[in-house]
């Protein structure tokens, strides 16, 4: 088990004011279990990046991610087979942009970013080794 908490406060070197868009609080917990039935290993991680100011009174949404993996190593054959997943909520790259979308008269400031997507993947890892 491993966990950490970090608080970032990036400052402008000239004015000393807090830099908008810099992450304010990050927490993370990571765990690994290596002795499951059928020689399986499991890993899980939860990470949260807290709300942050984007400037001009705008505040970004927090980002939450849960990652996991279930792996079956085959030591004698030199490979691993696994399933990995990410369950995510929030937006990456959150920042302020001044834009006018089609059908809008004049541009105005709004929060932009890309939605984080959840996924499941399978993996096959082969280890090259000398005999």
């Amino acid at each position: 088990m491993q966990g950490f908490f970090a608080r970032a406060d990036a400052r402008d070197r000239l004015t000393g004011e807090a830099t908008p868009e810099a992450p304010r609080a990050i927490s993370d917990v990571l765990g690994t279990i290596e002795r499951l039935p059928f020689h399986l290993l499991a890993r899980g991680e939860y990470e949260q990046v807290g709300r942050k100011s984007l400037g001009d009174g705008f505040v970004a949404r927090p980002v939450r991610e849960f990652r996991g993996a279930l792996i079956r190593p085959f030591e004698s054959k030199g490979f691993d087979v696994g399933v990995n997943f990410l369950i995510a909520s929030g937006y990456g790259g959150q920042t302020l942009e001044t834009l006018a979308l089609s059908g809008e008269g004049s541009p105005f400031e709004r929060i932009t970013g890309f939605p984080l997507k959840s996924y499941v993947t399978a993996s096959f890892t082969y280890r090259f080794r000398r005999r």
Side-chain angles (χ1 to χ4, degrees), residues 97-110:
E97 296 287 338
T98 302
L99 330 152
L101 299 176
S102 61
E104 295 179 349
S106 60
F108 64 93
E109 198 166 44
R110 64 183 87 204

Side-chain angles (χ1 to χ4, degrees), residues 16-39:
E17 294 180 14
T19 303
E21 304 173 13
R24 297 297 186 240
I26 301 170
S27 55
D28 191 276
V29 177
L30 171 67
T32 301
I33 301 172
E34 295 183 356
R35 293 190 177 154
L36 291 173
F38 309 108
H39 303 282

